[in-house]
Amino acid sequence: MHFREILAPALAVLAVNMHSVLGSPAPVPDASQVEAGKQLWTSTPESTAPPAGIPLDYALHPARRAQSPAGVYLSGPKDRPATSEQDGQADFIRKSDVGSAAPRYQNQAPAIKGITSVLDSNQQSPLNSGNPLAFKSQKHPYVPNASLFDSSTIKLPLATNKWWQNLIVEKGVDPIHPYPYIVYCNTNSTKIGFPKFTVAPEHVTSDMSSEWELGDASGALTQRKVTNTDALGVEVTWTGSGSAQMRSRFYKGMPFQTLELKGVTPILRTTNAIIKVEPVQRAALSAHKTEAQVTADVADMPAMSKITLNDNSQWLVASKPEIKWKQNEGTLTQQGTYTGFVQLAHLGDQPQNNINVLQQYAGTYPIEGTVTYAQVQGSDSTGRSSNIVYVYKTNTDVDGNTKQVYNTTSESTTMQLLSFVLPHHVDKISNNTILSTGLSGYRSAKGRLTAVAGNIISYNQPLERVSFGGMRAIGDSDKERLKQQLLKDAASSTTVTAQDPYFYGKGVARVARLYQIAQEVGDKTTAAALGTKIVNLLTPWLVSMSNNDTLVYDATWGGIVSTMGISDPSQDFGQGRYNDHHFHYGYFLYAGAILAKYDINTFAPLREPMNQLLRDYANPSYADTQFPYMRHFDPYDGHSWAAGLFSFMDGRNQESTGEAINAYYSAYLYATALGFEDTAAFYEIVLNMEATSGRRYWHPMRSQSKDLYGDAFSHNTVGIVWSSKVDYVTFFGADTEFVYGIQMLPFTPATRMLIRPDWVKEAWCPDNSTCADGMKTAAQHANKNGWAQFLYSAYAMVDRNAALDNALACTPDDGNTLTNTMHWIFTN
């Protein structure tokens, strides 16, 4: 008997990331049952008190020269000659720029000496054979809101799971979260807030309020659209009557929120009272400077003001050319139209120190972001790794290197971009890029943000080997025991009755694990029978299309969805609107990878539809016109996002890191089995990035958890990570075994990348009095069901014998078998 989902219909509609919900075939304690209609956490905390104001020291410290990270060599700045058209105009106003149809996506940055991409994603992938679609094409009833994006630049296939997705789904009114800010893009203005985080034992939440609104006082702006995207961010443009235009490019980790204005009468409003507006003096520039040099440098700097609000928060507001703000209570305006840019930056919890750093970098902001996944370096003996390189082009030099801006010594220095990075970046980033003085008081839901200087940010991603088989060889006695259990499961656990793609995929992957294990133990007869079974299970879904919930190609957004899902967003866990595709299709790809490795000829009829399933959730090519590039993966956060075409105030989310790992593990195995070496190397990097972020944010040690999330949140596992909050709960229940288990399943050789022995030892916590959320307590509470088996399997990394006996006494869930449980324990 398979485990069944316990899920209220209303919750199925609202919580679209819900998927693997384990029940029990036998009675279990009431506390482990999922309450019907369980509601999700919502962000409704009381605002925390802001830091007290600190007197400002106006001295401008010397500008810092941003150094290139180790192994990255940059050519010098490339100045653009000014033309008569450009003279006197703000940096962003170029006739070739305004209203241009720039490329929708950019891939790795070109011409970075010493860095070679593992894969040229601007070329077609070998996964794209050019053959016709294997799935029937139909239009989606949920039509993209054409008023929210520019169809001349944003074309099919459309993004469905990006961090900025709220901008183009539903009515586009929910915020986006470009750390450390929250931004609302209204039809005629933008609202910017600096979230205050509240830490509680079961969640970390942030408020949804905004402090500032910037728009046009004349009412000329009447429409906003997404006008461009790239690998790291999104461009939003506001237009209306006449030539009035406002534009912003949103990237995560930018201390300044920048708005470019053209022919706009600027109005800056706050919901708070303005206590004081102070111009930021720049007298310190005179040190080591002639009067002529000082005059030239000051003219090149934006004008800056420090504004104190009645909640004691302080902001730096910069403009170039200078806006002569006139204050009327909580409103700042300028008479007449304006062309230039405005920047807003919160001054954190140490305004005096922070303003000394921020004003040095005011005026520089990104206009394009690219990502390069560098070729693998090192060896198994010395350690293998890949450099992940973010390159930002800025407004002051489109080649990615900022021109000389303003200097405080007689020597010429190059000012580059100031930005923030997340904790997992800091773990492996080049120390050359981290500011020694730093910026204080900036964070995201993932913890403190660290300031770095430079248009190029590179961090080293270690690569852990993983393959088809287990990590360790199986001993003779264990192998014989495993063979006996394999025969039992091959006879009783190969029927899949589920009708939806998620649970059906889990069932097929369960059989594929048996097939892989049969190959490892040398049981060719059983392996042959299991191989035939896998083909028979996959054929109705991928070849004959004779299953009840047929997969179809959605020609409206660009992807493969289920018939039930495309018809009803509450069906199939919202996968018809692109929720959880990497979870669902990752199981299918695992089966395809195993079959392709051992019997490529039998696999042949499945190859094309399987290629297309992989391209649906992990397409490695920007040139593909049928599927978007890497539908779920976020290279800045280092992990995937779910939620699809549903809008949430808290932004994107991901629950099951284990199934995200499985998605890219399967992709890696599949590309390896087909001999696509470059594609496999790319997937190996993405897999390791997903595992690194999974360990850092979903599986922290308790001390790390407090450091990331706050003292009150001391768990060493997280249920759901959102753009702006963290929950110790799942979409299907709050039981501790759910929270632990969903982060680990399915158990495969790749699971070891996500859980470590030291983490398991701490999480197990045998002393119930000191940690009621321990894994041991959760396993006992689960009462020998599938969740308990997952937890005991993890414990095998600490105590194999104790774990084995307990794990084998449990009834497996519908994606697992006793054979697979034994294999995991024997090989880890």
Side-chain angles (χ1 to χ4, degrees):
M1 182 180 293
H2 297 292
F3 288 90
R4 299 300 180 189
E5 181 160 355
I6 309 171
L7 196 60
L11 193 57
V13 177
L14 296 175
V16 299
N17 193 35
M18 295 175 268
H19 50 281
S20 176
V21 183
L22 300 179
S24 173
V28 296
D30 291 342
S32 69
Q33 297 295 331
V34 181
E35 297 176 10
K38 183 178 289 293
Q39 297 301 307
L40 305 183
W41 291 110
T42 56
S43 291
T44 55
E46 295 181 1
S47 297
T48 55
I54 301 176
L56 176 64
D57 176 4
Y58 290 115
L60 180 65
H61 291 181
R64 293 169 175 78
R65 182 187 297 273
Q67 300 182 38
S68 300
V72 181
Y73 305 92
L74 301 177
S75 56
K78 299 178 181 179
D79 295 339
R80 292 175 298 171
T83 67
S84 57
E85 283 184 341
Q86 296 168 353
D87 289 339
Q89 293 187 356
D91 288 338
F92 83 97
I93 299 296
R94 308 290 184 225
K95 285 194 173 181
S96 61
D97 187 26
V98 176
S100 64
R104 290 182 300 124
Y105 298 112
Q106 295 296 329
N107 178 27
Q108 66 267 9
I112 306 178
K113 296 180 180 178
I115 293 292
T116 303
S117 176
V118 71
L119 182 77
D120 185 354
S121 359
N122 289 322
Q123 300 298 317
Q124 287 288 355
S125 162
L127 295 170
N128 187 357
S129 63
N131 290 327
L133 287 165
F135 304 91
K136 179 183 177 181
S137 179
Q138 74 178 69
K139 292 184 178 181
H140 204 297
Y142 180 64
V143 179
N145 187 341
S147 69
L148 297 179
F149 63 93
D150 184 349
S151 59
S152 69
T153 55
I154 310 298
K155 299 180 179 180
L156 285 174
L158 298 174
T160 60
N161 290 77
K162 299 304 180 184
W163 67 267
W164 45 262
Q165 199 70 42
N166 280 355
L167 291 172
I168 64 168
V169 296
E170 299 179 15
K171 295 181 179 180
V173 297
D174 284 340
I176 58 174
H177 301 270
Y179 322 138
Y181 299 100
I182 180 173
V183 174
Y184 295 82
C185 294
N186 301 328
T187 56
N188 59 357
S189 67
T190 185
K191 292 183 177 181
I192 298 168
F194 189 74
K196 303 173 184 68
F197 286 84
T198 299
V199 183
E202 307 305 318
H203 54 267
V204 180
T205 55
S206 61
D207 64 356
M208 297 286 116
S209 61
S210 58
E211 280 83 5
W212 293 101
E213 181 179 15
L214 180 63
D216 179 71
S218 70
L221 300 177
T222 58
Q223 186 177 51
R224 75 99 176 133
K225 290 186 176 184
V226 170
T227 49
N228 222 323
T229 66
D230 59 41
L232 292 169
V234 61
E235 177 187 275
V236 179
T237 302
W238 290 259
T239 57
S241 59
S243 61
Q245 183 184 89
M246 183 168 72
R247 181 172 63 184
S248 185
R249 299 173 182 91
F250 296 106
Y251 293 92
K252 286 181 283 191
M254 295 302 149
F256 291 96
Q257 288 300 302
T258 304
L259 280 299
E260 302 169 334
L261 310 176
K262 178 186 176 185
V264 169
T265 304
I267 179 169
L268 185 60
R269 287 183 285 244
T270 178
T271 54
N272 299 303
I274 296 176
I275 302 302
K276 189 185 300 183
V277 179
E278 304 169 85
V280 176
Q281 305 297 327
R282 294 166 292 198
L285 282 169
S286 60
H288 312 294
K289 286 282 190 172
T290 66
E291 183 176 352
Q293 288 172 322
V294 171
T295 301
D297 286 342
V298 170
D300 199 37
M301 295 175 70
M304 288 173 277
S305 299
K306 179 174 74 91
I307 300 179
T308 303
L309 303 180
N310 67 337
D311 62 356
N312 290 327
S313 66
Q314 297 182 343
W315 292 73
L316 180 65
V317 178
S319 59
K320 181 183 177 184
E322 181 178 4
I323 294 179
K324 303 290 186 179
W325 295 111
K326 292 186 178 180
Q327 181 186 351
N328 180 13
E329 296 183 344
T331 300
L332 300 173
T333 58
Q334 174 187 282
Q335 297 298 316
T337 59
Y338 172 82
T339 294
F341 65 78
V342 176
Q343 293 184 302
L344 290 89
H346 194 279
L347 293 182
D349 61 5
Q350 295 185 21
Q352 178 177 345
N353 293 332
N354 290 341
I355 200 170
N356 289 333
V357 175
L358 286 168
Q359 64 177 312
Q360 297 173 64
Y361 295 91
T364 300
Y365 55 89
I367 62 172
E368 184 181 295
T370 59
V371 181
T372 294
Y373 304 83
Q375 284 186 345
V376 177
Q377 57 192 11
S379 64
D380 289 328
S381 59
T382 61
R384 300 166 64 250
S385 65
S386 169
N387 285 326
I388 310 302
V389 186
Y390 311 137
V391 178
Y392 295 98
K393 293 182 181 180
T394 70
N395 58 308
T396 48
D397 192 303
V398 295
D399 292 311
N401 297 303
T402 310
K403 295 192 303 181
Q404 178 177 323
V405 187
Y406 33 90
N407 313 308
T408 59
T409 69
S410 58
E411 298 179 1
S412 173
T413 61
T414 299
M415 186 93 72
Q416 295 203 10
L417 185 69
L418 179 67
S419 63
F420 291 115
V421 291
L422 292 167
H424 79 280
H425 297 128
V426 176
D427 293 342
K428 297 296 180 180
I429 203 169
S430 166
N431 289 331
N432 291 340
T433 61
I434 296 178
L435 286 186
S436 57
T437 55
L439 290 169
S440 175
Y442 301 87
R443 68 159 297 168
S444 73
K446 291 186 172 76
R448 287 190 300 270
L449 297 173
T450 299
V452 296
N455 294 32
I456 293 182
I457 300 171
S458 175
Y459 75 96
N460 189 260
Q461 173 62 58
L463 301 180
E464 183 175 339
R465 285 277 191 192
V466 66
S467 187
F468 289 84
M471 179 181 176
R472 294 187 176 93
I474 305 172
D476 290 341
S477 60
D478 288 340
K479 182 179 291 187
E480 189 57 35
R481 186 177 180 183
L482 190 59
K483 282 183 176 181
Q484 294 303 313
Q485 184 61 49
L486 173 65
L487 292 174
K488 295 177 183 178
D489 285 335
S492 63
S493 299
T494 59
T495 300
V496 182
T497 59
Q499 300 295 307
D500 67 284
Y502 174 69
F503 282 110
Y504 194 89
K506 285 184 70 176
V508 177
R510 179 186 73 232
V511 179
R513 284 295 297 144
L514 294 176
Y515 182 41
Q516 167 63 32
I517 293 168
Q519 296 286 354
E520 287 185 57
V521 299
D523 187 342
K524 301 300 182 183
T525 301
T526 301
L530 289 168
T532 300
K533 184 67 177 180
I534 293 171
V535 172
N536 293 337
L537 288 170
L538 289 174
T539 296
W541 282 76
L542 302 181
V543 180
S544 65
M545 312 300 178
S546 57
N547 63 301
N548 292 333
D549 194 5
T550 311
L551 297 179
V552 297
Y553 178 78
D554 163 26
T556 302
W557 292 87
I560 298 169
V561 295
S562 68
T563 302
M564 294 289 290
I566 199 173
S567 303
D568 184 347
S570 70
Q571 295 296 313
D572 297 347
F573 309 105
Q575 84 105 268
R577 292 198 183 179
Y578 295 96
N579 179 60
D580 291 358
H581 277 208
H582 55 326
F583 299 162
H584 295 200
Y585 298 151
Y587 286 114
F588 282 84
L589 260 297
Y590 180 79
I594 303 303
L595 189 61
K597 174 176 173 58
Y598 295 109
D599 194 346
I600 192 67
N601 293 327
T602 300
F603 173 72
L606 297 163
R607 179 167 179 159
E608 189 57 43
M610 199 68 76
N611 282 357
Q612 291 172 22
L613 275 189
L614 179 52
R615 287 163 59 203
D616 174 90
Y617 77 84
N619 174 26
S621 170
Y622 285 100
D624 198 318
T625 59
Q626 294 169 320
F627 302 95
Y629 179 80
M630 297 301 290
R631 186 182 300 280
H632 296 273
F633 191 70
D634 185 329
Y636 180 86
D637 287 77
H639 65 77
S640 299
W641 294 113
L645 302 177
F646 298 87
S647 188
F648 293 95
M649 288 285 288
D650 292 297
R652 303 290 93 189
N653 67 71
Q654 178 159 273
E655 181 182 54
S656 178
T657 52
E659 289 176 315
I661 291 294
N662 184 64
Y664 301 114
Y665 172 54
S666 300
Y668 167 68
L669 295 183
Y670 186 81
T672 300
L674 295 187
F676 300 151
E677 294 182 4
D678 292 347
T679 305
F682 170 72
Y683 287 141
E684 183 187 26
I685 295 169
V686 172
L687 168 62
N688 277 270
M689 292 172 71
E690 187 85 38
T692 295
S693 287
R695 293 193 305 270
R696 196 69 166 90
Y697 304 119
W698 280 263
H699 294 253
M701 302 294 285
R702 290 187 189 273
S703 60
Q704 292 176 323
S705 183
K706 291 181 178 181
D707 183 59
L708 284 173
Y709 303 124
D711 289 342
F713 191 93
S714 60
H715 306 290
N716 58 6
T717 192
V718 170
I720 309 166
V721 172
W722 299 73
S723 302
S724 62
K725 71 171 181 175
V726 170
D727 284 327
Y728 184 74
V729 70
T730 72
F731 281 109
F732 50 88
D735 290 355
T736 303
E737 58 266 33
F738 298 166
V739 180
Y740 277 115
I742 197 63
Q743 302 308 337
M744 295 186 287
L745 65 83
F747 272 72
T748 71
T751 307
R752 191 180 178 90
M753 303 174 70
L754 192 58
I755 59 176
R756 303 297 201 203
D758 57 344
W759 177 82
V760 173
K761 185 176 182 179
E762 183 187 73
W764 193 253
C765 192
D767 185 355
N768 296 353
S769 64
T770 60
C771 49
D773 62 346
M775 198 183 290
K776 179 181 179 181
T777 304
Q780 293 170 340
H781 180 262
N783 196 26
K784 298 184 179 181
N785 68 8
W787 294 111
Q789 190 171 67
F790 291 139
L791 305 192
Y792 287 124
S793 295
Y795 187 58
M797 302 184 84
V798 176
D799 187 337
R800 169 195 145 135
N801 292 333
L804 181 62
D805 291 341
N806 282 288
L808 296 184
C810 298
T811 302
D813 98 291
D814 51 1
N816 199 20
T817 61
L818 290 179
T819 299
N820 186 53
T821 300
M822 291 174 66
H823 180 272
W824 160 264
I825 294 174
F826 291 161
T827 58
N828 284 276

